[in-house]
Amino acid sequence: MAERLQQNFFANHFAKVDKKLKSIVYDDSIAERLCYFFEGNDWMENKIEICHVDKYYGRKKALKNVTLTINQGMFGLLGRNGAGKTTLMKCLATLHSIQKGNIVVCGIPMKNAREIRTITGYLPQDFSMYPTMTVQESLDYLGLLSGMETSLCQKRTEMLLKRVNLIEHRHKKVKALSGGMKRRLGIAQALLHDPKVLIVDEPTAGLDPEERIRFRNLLCEVAEERIVILSTHIVGDIEATCEDIAIMHDGKILWQGTVSELLENAYGKVFTVNIDKKYLPEIKKQFIVTGMLVQNEYVTVRIISENMPEIGANPTEPNLEDAYMYCLYSNGCDVSGGV
Amino acid sequence: MLFFKECKKIIFSLVFGIYCIALFGVYFTQFANDCKNPMEKPVAGQADYGTIAKEVPEIMMPSAIEGLVNEYLSGEFSAYPYGFYKCVKLKEKDKKKLAEIITELSGISAETLENFDDYEPSGYITKEDGSFVYIDGNIPEINIPSTLTYEDFRELMRKADKIIGGGSKYSDENIVGNFSRIPKTYEDALAEYEQFCKEDKITGAYARLFCDYMGIVLSILPVFVAVFLAERDKKSSMEQLVYSRKISSAKLIFTRYISLVFTMMIPVCITALLAYAKVKSIYPDNAIDTLAILKTAVYWLIPNIMASSAVGMLVTEMISGLIAIFVQSAWWFASVFASSGKLTGSIKNFTFVMRHNALLGRDAFQKEWDIIIFNRIFFTVTSVLAIVLTAILYESKRRGVFNGFQVRVQNHRH
């Protein structure tokens, strides 16, 4: 009992100082030792710790000193294409090796890849299944690869196919499924072995608006009982599903926190201005434009600026896209290619 | 369970269908074609019982010397160095050396050989009706020196073979078969027939012929099925879904490998049963060994399937499927041609495609039995080791440590 109380105390204590601690730990050896300390602790069981991770593709550094803590629930990883999101997702799914740092998934260090694979479900960005197999056969096969008992696999297949609305298509061949149906089958396969961690990489790319909403809702539902990491470059997906987010750029974590904190950062930095169309190129040169609405000869432009622009602009409530752009801008990223 | 799923995946694939068609094609066009008529029991007083290779110096010496003189005068020597047919044309320097040897063997002077203009080749020619007839050509008269011993003769023939480049008719391996054939007697023929019936129990002899034909195709076709299976995950964009599962790489790779070998043996077993039925139909009254063809197919053909599949899986993981097919094709080509000069009694320790293209010749086969056992165990063990390596490479790929040599080349280009 005393031991349990002691563990809880340390768990709470570390959870509080966690963020601060990592901000001061730059020494890799200390970081690694810290991660080893995390390993095997009960309070780490619903948490992913990424400590000072570097990943190279040949000479190119794809991940640069990535440090991140991911708790239970939905976690959004936002960034441009090529920011390193997929690389990080693959590292978490043990499909990529890392050259430096450490990753601990629910108390399991990355070197124990097989154990991590047991508790992880992965939905890659580009995937399909054997085209000649049916939906049911595909899940049966992947269940076997996950080491599931046949009876359990059948039960979960039925439950998941109902959940993803594919039960009526269970005997359909994979090649006959639409893009949205394939994505839903993808989520079903990732959840088949009831993983504690679900890693979803760009899941809504190529889906129509209706499918996208359905898919986002599905992710929110499954996140109630596990860690779900959603990687995307679509701000709308994050806005609709995540509270905790991180922004990646050029292999680095630029920012980590909650959506409200991100919005708070951008408060007072977003303005709208109504101008003649002919001044638009000049505005684009001077400010970061996040949106515009054309009305005859005039255009209402949404801009980001550290100070109130002296062009008759009015401050406005930032949305997540504005906050994201402001985050990139304030961290010195090139955002000149805006709207 | 996974094993059955993998088998199902293979059986319902197009490449496996093609594999079966090819296998049955070889069975019907080659083996079944050779099984149209039963082997007749020799009857006393027959005009011809065939010939048999036997080391008889009195037959071999004049015949081999005549052959050498013929080839010298024609300027072209047939040889099978490394098993491949080669028409050898000698340089002047080598021609002189060979002329000296011929002089020692035949008494024909180097000048006569050099200036002989009326040469006409001697040997067997095929007539229009398909029969062979011996034609006496025109070569200088041969007078074998009385002082020439058989040992000296063999030594000079070895030298001649060396000058030609090895693998000629005069080499130690080929000289008896080419120049020392004697007619079989009724007793010889009867003894062979008795051996065929009693020791081989008929199907034993047909089993060797069956495996000879099937071995040729089973040393190349499995690589296509193996490459298809190894590349299927990638082609179906399913690689990452499989990589991220719990199953160990060793279990997955070995299950896939065993499934491959098992499924590819199914049509082999079916053709073996068909072969048994065919043999039984032409020898309805003889006692035959029911399982002989199946048993021989297991120890003879499984190592070929295993090796060809292992090359397919290993090289596909290491480089690419196309390279795997190329590597296996090159190995197969070299092996088939290496044994094309001698279709019986030529099995060596590392002969991949074992040949025994004859119904008779049990003794020659039995003489090689130890080599055959070593050979088959060697290919089986090597194949398993190749699959262990494949599993290690697969695990490295799963962890993103190794991406295949081809990918690395592409990375360098970027």
Side-chain angles (χ1 to χ4, degrees):
Chain A
M1 184 66 182
E3 198 184 332
R4 187 80 201 161
L5 281 171
Q6 201 181 11
Q7 276 181 354
N8 283 345
F9 167 77
F10 278 116
N12 292 332
H13 180 70
F14 270 100
K16 280 177 195 166
V17 298
D18 201 25
K19 213 168 166 182
K20 200 170 180 184
L21 195 62
K22 265 195 229 95
S23 67
I24 57 165
V25 177
Y26 286 109
D27 185 289
D28 288 339
S29 61
I30 297 173
E32 275 191 34
R33 265 181 274 159
L34 194 65
C35 278
Y36 288 129
F37 174 76
F38 292 148
E39 288 170 27
N41 286 297
D42 288 352
W43 57 277
M44 281 293 297
E45 278 190 2
N46 292 315
K47 202 173 191 183
I48 296 174
E49 282 292 338
I50 303 164
C51 298
H52 298 274
V53 166
D54 281 356
K55 161 79 191 163
Y56 288 85
Y57 289 124
R59 282 183 210 154
K60 197 191 166 215
K61 202 170 184 180
L63 295 180
K64 298 169 184 169
N65 198 31
V66 172
T67 298
L68 209 55
T69 303
I70 301 168
N71 295 307
Q72 190 166 329
M74 282 289 286
F75 182 89
L77 191 62
L78 190 59
R80 291 171 176 170
N81 287 331
K85 303 184 300 294
T86 297
T87 303
L88 184 59
M89 296 290 101
K90 284 188 175 179
C91 287
L92 291 175
T94 73
L95 303 181
H96 270 342
S97 59
I98 55 172
Q99 275 75 40
K100 236 181 177 184
N102 203 8
I103 296 174
V104 182
V105 180
C106 299
I108 305 165
M110 207 194 171
K111 62 184 180 216
N112 300 345
R114 207 174 159 208
E115 278 182 59
I116 292 183
R117 286 171 193 159
T118 310
I119 59 155
T120 309
Y122 178 53
L123 176 61
Q125 192 175 344
D126 299 309
F127 80 98
S128 188
M129 292 183 198
Y130 302 129
T132 51
M133 271 190 185
T134 64
V135 168
Q136 174 86 50
E137 283 169 344
S138 301
L139 292 180
D140 286 349
Y141 181 69
L142 290 168
L144 278 172
L145 296 186
S146 294
M148 294 173 75
E149 292 288 327
T150 314
S151 55
L152 177 66
C153 184
Q154 279 172 352
K155 269 184 204 163
R156 282 203 56 84
T157 298
E158 188 160 349
M159 186 270 283
L160 286 165
L161 288 180
K162 276 180 191 160
R163 201 163 177 183
V164 299
N165 224 2
L166 281 176
I167 195 76
E168 284 168 22
H169 305 281
R170 65 196 301 172
H171 300 301
K172 214 178 216 179
K173 285 195 171 163
V174 170
K175 64 182 173 188
L177 299 181
S178 68
M181 285 158 107
K182 265 189 197 165
R183 286 272 154 196
R184 280 186 272 145
L185 177 59
I187 200 86
Q189 68 77 28
L191 289 168
L192 190 60
H193 54 294
D194 198 15
K196 284 171 90 173
V197 179
L198 179 64
I199 301 164
V200 196
D201 194 6
E202 306 275 6
T204 57
L207 296 186
D208 61 43
E210 205 184 321
E211 279 281 9
R212 179 172 289 179
I213 291 165
R214 203 180 296 159
F215 199 87
R216 289 194 307 221
N217 292 343
L218 186 63
L219 283 181
C220 287
E221 280 172 35
V222 299
E224 283 171 16
E225 57 223 24
R226 51 177 63 85
I227 301 170
V228 177
I229 308 165
L230 167 67
S231 146
T232 184
H233 63 274
I234 303 163
V235 178
D237 287 349
I238 298 280
E239 200 165 24
T241 54
C242 306
E243 183 48 32
D244 290 325
I245 62 166
I247 295 174
M248 269 194 102
H249 179 78
D250 194 25
K252 287 182 280 196
I253 298 290
L254 280 189
W255 189 87
Q256 185 188 2
T258 61
V259 170
S260 21
E261 282 168 354
L262 188 67
L263 289 169
E264 210 173 286
N265 286 348
Y267 197 79
K269 315 287 180 188
V270 185
F271 306 89
T272 54
V273 58
N274 205 21
I275 53 159
D276 194 305
K277 252 184 182 174
K278 64 184 178 189
Y279 298 118
L280 192 56
E282 194 56 36
I283 291 285
K284 277 184 173 178
K285 267 185 204 168
Q286 285 185 35
F287 304 100
I288 301 157
V289 177
T290 60
M292 60 176 80
L293 183 64
V294 182
Q295 292 162 317
N296 301 325
E297 289 303 303
Y298 289 89
V299 58
T300 307
V301 187
R302 200 174 173 89
I303 56 175
I304 290 171
S305 172
E306 281 290 351
N307 305 307
M308 168 82 95
E310 292 170 353
I311 49 168
N314 299 311
T316 188
E317 283 283 320
N319 60 28
L320 195 58
E321 263 181 10
D322 300 324
Y324 168 65
M325 291 300 275
Y326 177 70
C327 178
L328 292 181
Y329 166 71
S330 60
N331 280 284
C333 307
D334 180 18
V335 284
S336 54
V339 180
Chain B
M1 196 59 192
L2 180 61
F3 168 76
F4 291 114
K5 289 262 176 202
E6 292 293 345
C7 288
K8 196 178 165 192
K9 248 166 70 182
I10 298 164
I11 288 168
F12 289 101
S13 66
L14 178 67
V15 70
F16 186 74
I18 295 168
Y19 163 84
C20 290
I21 291 168
L23 212 63
F24 280 97
V26 170
Y27 169 78
F28 285 111
T29 58
Q30 305 296 316
F31 180 80
N33 208 30
D34 282 1
C35 295
K36 282 182 179 160
N37 301 305
M39 185 180 275
E40 298 293 341
K41 189 176 180 180
V43 180
Q46 249 178 246
D48 180 24
Y49 297 104
T51 61
I52 190 169
K54 195 172 181 183
E55 193 174 348
V56 181
E58 294 73 28
I59 297 171
M60 188 198 293
M61 286 171 72
S63 172
I65 293 167
E66 188 186 326
L68 185 61
V69 172
N70 254 303
E71 286 201 315
Y72 181 91
L73 292 170
S74 74
E76 288 177 354
F77 299 84
S78 302
Y80 289 87
Y82 315 109
F84 293 91
Y85 171 75
K86 190 179 173 188
C87 177
V88 180
K89 288 183 180 173
L90 296 178
K91 291 175 186 166
E92 275 310 309
K93 189 178 76 180
D94 290 330
K95 255 184 129 176
K96 272 183 188 167
K97 280 187 198 169
L98 194 60
E100 285 169 20
I101 291 170
I102 292 173
T103 306
E104 278 189 64
L105 288 165
S106 65
I108 304 169
S109 68
E111 290 74 32
T112 310
L113 285 168
E114 187 65 33
N115 303 317
F116 193 77
D117 295 329
D118 303 327
Y119 167 68
E120 276 175 34
S122 61
Y124 285 95
I125 60 158
T126 316
K127 284 169 66 180
E128 277 177 9
D129 62 359
S131 63
F132 295 102
V133 95
Y134 188 81
I135 300 289
D136 283 321
N138 186 28
I139 59 170
E141 194 183 341
I142 294 169
N143 291 307
I144 301 171
S146 55
T147 51
L148 184 73
T149 64
Y150 179 63
E151 287 70 31
D152 292 342
F153 159 79
R154 290 298 296 266
E155 189 51 41
L156 287 167
M157 281 301 180
R158 274 184 210 112
K159 282 182 185 169
D161 176 61
K162 204 174 171 187
I163 291 167
I164 295 165
S168 73
K169 293 175 189 171
Y170 319 102
S171 66
D172 279 345
E173 293 83 29
N174 299 331
I175 195 163
V176 178
N178 276 299
F179 300 110
S180 189
R181 299 197 73 85
I182 56 166
K184 274 186 208 169
T185 61
Y186 167 68
E187 287 72 26
D188 290 336
L190 190 64
E192 257 184 358
Y193 184 79
E194 292 293 321
Q195 191 179 46
F196 168 75
C197 291
K198 288 180 182 159
E199 290 178 43
D200 273 334
K201 288 182 183 159
I202 299 173
T203 39
Y206 279 96
R208 291 192 292 270
L209 190 65
F210 173 82
C211 291
D212 173 73
Y213 287 129
M214 289 303 184
I216 297 171
V217 279
L218 289 172
S219 301
I220 181 73
L221 291 183
V223 74
F224 293 95
V225 187
V227 165
F228 158 79
L229 187 73
E231 289 212 318
R232 199 175 177 198
D233 289 349
K234 200 175 172 184
K235 292 256 164 73
S236 310
S237 306
M238 201 169 165
E239 220 172 15
Q240 292 182 55
L241 297 189
V242 177
Y243 281 178
S244 61
R245 307 323 272 203
K246 179 190 164 189
I247 191 166
S248 74
S249 298
K251 188 178 172 186
L252 181 62
I253 294 296
F254 270 91
T255 308
R256 285 183 170 181
Y257 182 61
I258 294 165
S259 316
L260 264 175
V261 177
F262 177 79
T263 49
M264 283 193 274
M265 268 310 279
I266 295 171
V268 175
C269 291
I270 294 170
T271 49
L273 292 173
L274 287 175
Y276 164 74
K278 181 81 184 165
V279 175
K280 182 75 187 161
S281 71
I282 55 172
Y283 296 93
D285 304 323
N286 295 65
I288 62 174
D289 182 353
T290 313
L291 291 175
I293 300 177
L294 210 55
K295 280 189 290 189
T296 312
V298 167
Y299 79 76
W300 188 320
L301 300 175
I302 285 183
N304 287 70
I305 295 176
M306 285 178 75
S308 184
S309 305
V311 168
M313 288 180 74
L314 176 64
V315 182
T316 303
E317 281 313 325
M318 200 186 275
I319 310 169
S320 77
L322 205 65
I323 301 291
I325 290 169
F326 176 77
V327 167
Q328 185 59 31
S329 302
W331 188 21
W332 175 82
F333 195 73
S335 189
V336 167
F337 278 88
S339 50
S340 64
K342 208 176 173 194
L343 298 183
T344 54
S346 62
I347 300 166
K348 305 275 189 307
N349 281 339
F350 304 108
T351 304
F352 179 49
V353 184
M354 293 201 315
R355 301 301 310 268
H356 189 91
N357 195 265
L359 274 181
L360 299 175
R362 180 187 164 87
D363 287 341
F365 191 77
Q366 288 298 321
K367 212 186 277 177
E368 290 174 328
W369 186 244
D370 289 344
I371 295 171
I372 291 167
I373 296 291
F374 171 83
N375 178 299
R376 296 294 89 180
I377 291 174
F378 170 78
F379 283 110
T380 306
V381 172
T382 311
S383 305
V384 172
L385 290 177
I387 293 303
V388 170
L389 186 59
T390 308
I392 293 168
L393 289 178
Y394 189 81
E395 179 60 24
S396 307
K397 275 186 157 183
R398 272 177 99 174
R399 287 176 181 242
V401 178
F402 172 73
N403 290 314
F405 289 120
Q406 208 175 24
V407 175
R408 285 193 176 180
V409 172
Q410 282 172 353
N411 281 347
H412 281 299
R413 277 186 201 144
H414 289 302

